[in-house]
Amino acid sequence: MRQTSQIRQRGIRMPKSSRLGLLRDRDFGRLFAATALGQLGDRIIFLALPLVAIAALRADEFQVGLLTSMTTAGSLLVGLPAGAWVDRMRKRSVMISTDLVRALTLLTIPVAWWADLLTLWWLYAVALAHGVLTVFFDVAYVSYLPHLVGRSKLVEGNSKLSTMRSVTSISGPTLAGPLIGLVGAPATLLVSSAGMALSGLLAITIRKREQKPERSEHHQLGREIKEGLKFVLKHSALRAIMLGDAVFNLFLVMYQSMLLVFLEREIGLQPFGIGLVLSGMGCGALLGALLATTVSTRVGQGPVIWLASLVTCPLTVLMPLARPGWSVYVAAIGLAALSLGGVVRVVSQSSFQQAMTPDRLLGRMSATTRFVSWGGIPLGGLLGGASGSVFGATGTLWIGAAGMTLSVLPNFLSPLRTMRTLPTEKAP
């Protein structure tokens, strides 16, 4: 460390290979590229799928909220058993197969549109299927990283992958907005489908294979699920992270379910303008990914988890205060801050969860925390739609902003409040 400091003081540049870090590793580089392609497709879905309902099928507020619920209902339907199933399989294989099937599923929307068969029910079915597949992909993805990079490099690995996801958060809406304006929202989903397919094909080329999990002749799904639940619930820090995420995600989805309605119908933005606002969120996420390691080191791995939300969530009230004109782009700063804080928090807490968990329980830990923390997302979509029908999109944004701010409490009231470093030993 002293030698590195002296090199910087003398103005000597660090070797490019040192700056690249994990990106020098061939297999991590391919996972990094596959993540870029898959996330690009996913960010286009985030904008294009609701706009298919809003602009092409003229869905009302409740129907848009229901579509959001269908997108995330997979966490409730298969969240817990997904972890046990994934722990029985090679994670890389799960990632490849789910990427390819998601690509085919999304492809049905433009095909149905061109055949004049597309309905809201079709959108609901695709959203539900895509969401279920995404549960399996995400559980496998989180569980695969410690195997690929080693536990000592988890913070760096998570930070670099978050940086790439943040870049696609900028480029996805920026690309999707003009593309939707040019060819329409249904046809834009072709790009999403292609991104998912290329992501899966690129993951096939990763050479580092996991050992196949030991097979048991007496698999008991219920017992395996119970073991994962017990592991997470008995550790106060893991439990706090999970509960804080659950509150945050519920109110975030309430907020997001009415955000596009607010921008399109009350502010009067066209797809390009909506894409520009959402790209601002991506800029915040990118900055958060670049700062995550530094901030976590200086503030502490535990405190940053709750401080990041406490500092940035209140700024989301700028959006419901906005009016047509320049003020909506000022309000986008609040969304950018939310993304910045969210990425800093997620990098720290993901590394913490992975460091605490034995290899054999990684899938179940991920699935358990996802089941609880994402379980409220479908409810958030329904509540967002119902709240939008009663209080309007503006009122729902106020409710969402308040709820996201309160999500800091579980982490603040836990040992994370003063825990400055990652645990050096896995929990039993």
Side-chain angles (χ1 to χ4, degrees):
M1 182 67 70
R2 182 178 299 173
Q3 183 180 6
T4 301
S5 178
Q6 290 173 349
I7 289 173
R8 287 175 179 167
Q9 290 174 3
R10 293 171 185 170
I12 301 174
R13 290 188 177 183
M14 296 291 289
K16 185 177 180 181
S17 59
S18 299
R19 298 196 302 270
L20 289 175
L22 275 173
L23 289 176
R24 290 177 295 161
D25 181 88
R26 176 186 181 276
D27 285 338
F28 181 80
R30 297 201 174 192
L31 178 66
F32 185 83
T35 298
L37 291 167
Q39 287 294 310
L40 180 63
D42 190 63
R43 299 317 296 171
I44 292 174
I45 293 170
F46 178 76
L47 179 59
L49 194 62
L51 283 179
V52 172
I54 294 169
L57 300 178
R58 306 309 301 172
D60 60 30
E61 285 82 355
F62 182 78
Q63 289 169 328
V64 174
L66 183 58
L67 179 62
T68 302
S69 296
M70 291 294 102
T71 303
T72 55
S75 296
L76 286 178
L77 294 177
V78 298
L80 288 177
W85 288 326
V86 168
D87 276 338
R88 300 176 187 174
M89 298 178 278
R90 289 191 173 101
K91 280 66 175 177
R92 171 181 165 277
S93 300
V94 175
M95 291 161 54
I96 293 167
S97 58
T98 50
D99 257 346
L100 296 178
V101 177
R102 285 192 297 175
L104 289 173
T105 302
L106 290 171
L107 187 60
T108 68
I109 293 179
V111 171
W113 173 255
W114 289 325
D116 200 25
L117 296 173
L118 187 62
T119 65
L120 274 172
W121 289 106
W122 193 301
L123 282 188
Y124 294 153
V126 169
L128 180 61
H130 183 272
V132 169
L133 291 165
T134 298
V135 171
F136 283 93
F137 177 88
D138 286 349
V139 169
Y141 185 86
V142 171
S143 306
Y144 183 62
L145 186 63
H147 166 77
L148 187 67
V149 304
R151 292 175 180 272
S152 64
K153 297 181 179 179
L154 281 174
V155 173
E156 181 188 355
N158 281 313
S159 181
K160 280 183 165 56
L161 292 172
S162 292
T163 300
M164 176 49 64
R165 286 194 290 268
S166 302
V167 170
T168 57
S169 294
I170 301 170
S171 56
T174 303
L175 172 65
L179 195 58
I180 289 171
L182 182 64
V183 301
T188 301
L189 288 170
L190 283 171
V191 178
S192 297
S193 178
M196 296 286 180
L198 291 172
S199 174
L201 293 173
L202 190 57
I204 292 174
T205 67
I206 296 175
R207 292 180 299 185
K208 190 171 184 179
R209 308 288 180 88
E210 314 142 86
Q211 290 185 352
K212 192 171 184 179
E214 294 183 6
R215 297 189 63 180
S216 171
E217 296 180 359
H218 305 288
H219 277 306
Q220 294 186 0
L221 184 62
R223 179 180 295 177
E224 292 172 356
I225 291 172
K226 183 179 178 181
E227 186 180 12
L229 277 167
K230 184 179 179 181
F231 173 77
V232 174
L233 292 177
K234 79 174 184 178
H235 295 287
S236 57
L238 294 178
R239 187 171 63 244
I241 288 172
M242 180 175 65
L243 294 176
D245 267 1
V247 176
F248 177 84
N249 287 334
L250 185 145
F251 286 100
L252 173 66
V253 173
M254 283 188 68
Y255 191 98
Q256 288 180 330
S257 66
M258 289 298 105
L259 178 60
L260 292 183
V261 175
F262 177 81
L263 293 173
E264 202 261 355
R265 293 183 179 169
E266 299 194 25
I267 299 297
L269 288 183
Q270 298 300 312
F272 178 78
I274 295 175
L276 192 60
V277 170
L278 297 183
S279 293
M281 295 178 68
C283 290
L286 175 59
L287 183 58
L290 295 173
L291 295 175
T293 302
T294 301
V295 173
S296 296
T297 301
R298 293 185 178 181
V299 176
Q301 296 286 347
V304 78
I305 292 174
W306 61 270
L307 275 171
S309 294
L310 183 62
V311 171
T312 58
C313 287
L315 296 177
T316 55
V317 300
L318 292 172
M319 186 57 70
L321 289 171
R323 297 295 180 267
W326 60 268
S327 64
V328 71
Y329 295 105
V330 174
I333 296 173
L335 300 183
L338 178 70
S339 296
L340 187 155
V343 170
V344 169
R345 173 177 59 84
V346 167
V347 167
S348 184
Q349 71 184 31
S350 295
S351 303
F352 184 95
Q353 291 167 321
Q354 291 163 339
M356 282 283 290
T357 307
D359 289 344
R360 66 183 185 84
L361 287 171
L362 278 167
R364 277 167 283 176
M365 178 280 295
S366 176
T368 298
T369 54
R370 184 189 176 98
F371 176 77
V372 176
S373 62
W374 285 50
I377 290 179
L379 177 61
L382 290 174
L383 289 176
S387 176
S389 298
V390 176
F391 302 112
T394 303
T396 303
L397 294 183
W398 278 104
I399 295 170
M404 285 187 283
T405 303
L406 292 174
S407 71
V408 305
L409 290 177
N411 291 316
F412 178 76
L413 298 174
S414 78
L416 292 168
R417 184 173 67 254
T418 56
M419 191 179 294
R420 294 190 56 83
T421 60
L422 286 175
T424 56
E425 296 182 2
K426 293 174 279 190

